[in-house]
Amino acid sequence: MADTVRGVTDVEVGGSTMPIFTSRPDGDGKRPAVIVIQEIFGVNENIKGIADRFAAEGYVAAAPDMFHREGYNVEVPFDDMARGAGIRGKLTNDDVVADVTAAVEALRNDPTVDSNNIGIVGFCFGGMVSYLSAARVDGIKAAAIYYGGGILPRPDAPADAPRLLDATAADVAAPLIGFWGDQDGGIPVAAVNEIGATLTSNGKSIENHVYEGAGHGFFCDERGSYNEAASSDAWPKTLAFFAQHLG
């Protein structure tokens, strides 16, 4: 495991300043990078800790603050889901693409980054961001999705709710890996299967893993939804996926 160094890079996006938290291996040389996308709670210590874990494995990890339009370094407590959902609800897909594109450009301008090998991973809202980025952001080489909400509508959504999967499946330009819980009320296994089947029928590479007994948010060890067995299995699979696709 490498020693890691934390930092922050500020970039301008859509008229406001977006801080990008970074964690990188200490030392010289170019390294592949992984963009780490938050849940609806902001770039909190949980997300920073995940970035540190990637840095310890030899990646430059970058976590852009997707809530920068609400203020600088906005964090939402885990027990204030309504506020987090409200901020997330203001973000358009164009906003998301602009933010991730800016993060990619910041990494490309970083002399310690191998700009040909940039991946992305996201959790919950961030899982959707990771998926959308694989379809809409240039320079993404591989994308990992942890229980990405919003790729398909929730089971309780109106019948005419937008279906992001249908609008983007043909455009996905990077291999995908997905991690899901079979007890996730917002993303039933039938939806996971539909995501896999639709992408496969469009000639895309998708590897899905569904964990028995796990619900939404199973990777976050600071929430009651944490599932140690699922988390412990998903992490090495994520590392193997990026090792395969990010040189």
Side-chain angles (χ1 to χ4, degrees):
M1 296 289 184
D3 291 332
T4 61
V5 179
R6 285 183 165 191
V8 176
T9 300
D10 288 342
V11 300
E12 297 302 311
V13 186
S16 66
T17 300
M18 180 176 76
I20 304 174
F21 171 83
T22 60
S23 185
R24 66 187 69 233
D26 192 11
D28 299 326
K30 289 184 178 292
R31 302 176 184 274
V34 175
I35 299 170
V36 181
I37 304 294
Q38 65 187 64
E39 298 177 299
I40 60 170
F41 308 107
V43 180
N44 53 20
E45 279 303 317
N46 174 256
I47 294 299
K48 292 175 181 178
I50 293 170
D52 288 340
R53 292 174 71 178
F54 278 110
E57 297 291 340
Y59 296 93
V60 175
D65 178 5
M66 309 293 287
F67 284 177
H68 63 91
R69 293 166 184 84
E70 292 290 310
Y72 193 86
N73 279 340
V74 172
E75 292 187 28
V76 178
F78 289 125
D79 62 0
D80 197 356
M81 192 168 293
R83 183 183 177 218
I87 299 173
R88 182 267 175 272
K90 298 177 184 178
L91 295 176
T92 67
N93 288 344
D94 287 344
D95 292 334
V96 166
V97 169
D99 289 354
V100 178
T101 297
V104 169
E105 287 306 308
L107 289 169
R108 284 175 165 166
N109 291 326
D110 185 328
T112 71
V113 171
D114 175 1
S115 60
N116 292 317
N117 285 295
I118 298 174
I120 188 168
V121 60
F123 304 84
C124 184
F125 156 66
M128 182 282 293
V129 173
S130 186
Y131 168 78
L132 181 62
S133 299
R136 293 283 188 260
V137 178
D138 291 337
I140 296 296
K141 192 85 174 289
I145 302 163
Y146 277 76
Y147 31 84
I151 299 172
L152 284 173
R154 292 177 54 90
D156 56 0
D160 60 350
R163 290 170 53 91
L164 180 63
L165 180 68
D166 297 347
T168 54
D171 300 323
V172 169
L176 304 170
I177 191 169
F179 303 97
W180 320 84
D182 73 349
Q183 300 302 305
D184 189 330
I187 312 171
V189 175
V192 176
N193 292 339
E194 183 177 353
I195 291 168
T198 300
L199 289 166
T200 299
S201 70
N202 277 272
K204 311 305 177 181
S205 173
I206 172 72
E207 175 188 336
N208 275 328
H209 299 273
V210 179
Y211 293 103
E212 183 177 354
H216 196 75
F218 69 73
F219 196 77
C220 181
D221 60 6
E222 297 180 26
R223 298 170 64 188
S225 55
Y226 177 62
N227 185 296
E228 183 177 4
S231 176
S232 297
D233 187 81
W235 178 247
K237 286 182 168 62
T238 302
L239 293 178
F241 173 76
F242 283 132
Q244 177 183 357
H245 296 291
L246 299 183

